[in-house]
Amino acid sequence: MLTAYDKNSFGTLIHLKIIFYETQIFNARYPACPGNYVCAKRKKRLVFNSGIGYGSYELDIKAYAGNYADQKFTQPVIWLGAEKKSILNKNGFVLDAGGGLAGSFKLKTKSTLSGPENVENNKGWSLGIHGLAKAGYELGGKNSSIVPLIGLGPYFIDLYNGAANDEDAFGNWIYGLQGYAGVEFSLNTIAVIPHINFGIADWGNSGRELHGEGDNYQNGQPSMFEAGISVALRL
């Protein structure tokens, strides 16, 4: 027959076991992060994003006959895209992947030819496509998080100067591998991401007539830099 002491000991043991299992369940659902944060544990989901920013590009070209042109392009940029969040999510480290379109209807062109014939206007347009894989570390609470991100991916941009006459109108193409750096601030289903995109390995060419024999080719390394802010809606 159990004594009062035995009953109290048995009850204490059962109570301790319940606390232990509840703690295990909590830790599984909300793993601890460094700095006394609780991991937000972003779910794998599709996100649509759009943003605005500013872009600057350089493409110097040369003809085999020796003529050359130094070209600079600037524009406001609009981004539209989609990506898959948290393809991988391990101990706060996350991996996202996606892509999208970028464009503008206010491309400014400054093309300086070796000689008197220069082209400068702000009536051009651009259209680009890009893909990105982004990795980061997630810090935050249950309904909000901050995720510093770095990324890498291919890109292609068509820059058309939009001159009034056909003789001065020409297309330009820059493409290659771009880098990405940004910080994602999330609250519930909305995320705001200031970010920069920059060329790492770039190539290009131009349809500009240099009054030389043969095709144009790039003269030095082209460059691409864009900065802006995007807003993402989680579905």
Side-chain angles (χ1 to χ4, degrees):
M1 185 174 181
L2 295 175
T3 65
Y5 176 80
D6 294 328
K7 291 180 179 179
N8 289 336
S9 299
F10 183 72
T12 300
L13 180 62
I14 295 298
H15 184 64
L16 290 174
K17 285 187 175 181
I18 292 173
I19 293 175
F20 173 78
Y21 285 119
E22 287 179 344
T23 302
Q24 293 293 97
I25 293 172
F26 179 85
N27 288 339
R29 293 182 62 186
Y30 306 104
C33 290
N36 296 323
Y37 285 95
V38 174
C39 292
K41 293 295 286 183
R42 291 191 309 173
K43 294 181 179 179
K44 188 185 298 185
R45 65 183 75 193
L46 182 65
V47 169
F48 293 95
N49 56 65
S50 62
I52 56 173
Y54 199 77
S56 176
Y57 320 86
E58 291 189 15
L59 174 60
D60 297 341
I61 57 174
K62 191 174 183 179
Y64 288 103
N67 296 320
Y68 65 88
D70 297 335
Q71 304 191 114
K72 300 181 186 297
F73 308 91
T74 55
Q75 64 175 2
V77 185
I78 299 175
W79 293 286
L80 294 173
E83 64 181 350
K84 195 78 170 182
K85 293 288 187 182
S86 297
I87 293 176
L88 292 177
N89 191 332
K90 184 72 172 179
N91 297 327
F93 290 95
V94 296
L95 179 65
D96 305 335
L101 301 174
S104 174
F105 291 97
K106 199 68 175 177
L107 177 70
K108 182 177 181 179
T109 301
K110 184 175 182 180
S111 182
T112 304
L113 183 66
S114 53
E117 297 182 28
N118 299 328
V119 174
E120 186 170 356
N121 67 59
N122 60 354
K123 300 179 180 180
W125 56 264
S126 75
L127 182 63
I129 185 169
H130 65 270
L132 277 171
K134 298 183 288 187
Y137 191 80
E138 182 180 18
L139 295 172
K142 186 177 181 181
N143 296 316
S144 62
S145 66
I146 299 174
V147 186
L149 292 162
I150 57 174
L152 198 67
Y155 79 94
F156 176 90
I157 304 175
D158 184 0
L159 303 160
Y160 188 75
N161 79 317
N165 57 72
D166 292 338
E167 292 183 0
D168 291 334
F170 54 90
N172 305 271
W173 310 276
I174 300 178
Y175 50 90
L177 187 66
Q178 68 171 329
Y180 172 97
V183 180
E184 177 187 292
F185 300 91
S186 297
L187 180 62
N188 294 322
T189 60
I190 301 293
V192 178
I193 312 107
H195 60 90
I196 59 173
N197 301 61
F198 51 93
I200 295 177
D202 310 284
W203 295 269
N205 208 330
S206 175
R208 168 137 205 213
E209 175 59 58
L210 297 183
H211 305 295
E213 297 178 0
D215 295 331
N216 300 331
Y217 61 96
Q218 69 184 45
N219 184 26
Q221 186 83 0
S223 67
M224 180 273 282
F225 182 85
E226 297 174 339
I229 187 167
S230 296
V231 177
L233 177 62
R234 297 179 180 180
L235 299 181

